[in-house]
Amino acid sequence: MYLCLSGLFIVAPTTGASIFGIPAPGNLADAYLRAIGFRDAALALYLAGLACFSSRRAVGIVLGATVLIPVCDVALVLAVGTAAWWQIGLHALNGVCLIVMTTWVLR
């Protein structure tokens, strides 16, 4: 999921921002949105690398720590007040998926 979203933020930052739940101001701010895309791409590659070459415990710890991202994303879009219910739901679903994956990996 992070890899797909990162591609969207890198290629079409305004569209990525609108799906995220905070409208993009455009112009120079697009560079910040692309930075978010690069961050998410790196995160996806970290997780893939860990999943392929590390222990279940290491993967579980990183997945568990990654739950902080959607939690903060929900708090951010709620604080800004520009997100629709489905945008908040996407962030929440991301968090739930990470919690389920963490639980499954660490069981």
Side-chain angles (χ1 to χ4, degrees):
M1 177 170 11
Y2 283 105
L3 197 55
C4 293
L5 187 58
S6 70
L8 185 59
F9 269 100
I10 292 167
V11 174
T14 302
T15 304
S18 67
I19 291 172
F20 186 88
I22 299 174
N27 300 327
L28 187 57
D30 283 355
Y32 289 104
L33 296 173
R34 285 189 174 100
I36 291 168
F38 293 128
R39 174 207 71 171
D40 285 352
L43 174 64
L45 295 174
Y46 297 155
L47 290 171
L50 278 172
C52 291
F53 301 109
S54 191
S55 69
R56 288 177 67 98
R57 184 170 184 218
V59 174
I61 289 169
V62 172
L63 282 172
T66 303
V67 172
L68 184 62
I69 293 172
V71 168
C72 291
D73 289 347
V74 167
L76 179 64
V77 296
L78 286 174
V80 173
T82 56
W85 66 268
W86 64 270
Q87 293 162 319
I88 296 165
L90 284 175
H91 295 296
L93 180 62
N94 182 20
V96 168
C97 289
L98 286 168
I99 291 168
V100 168
M101 288 173 23
T102 300
T103 303
W104 178 73
V105 168
L106 291 178
R107 65 173 169 81

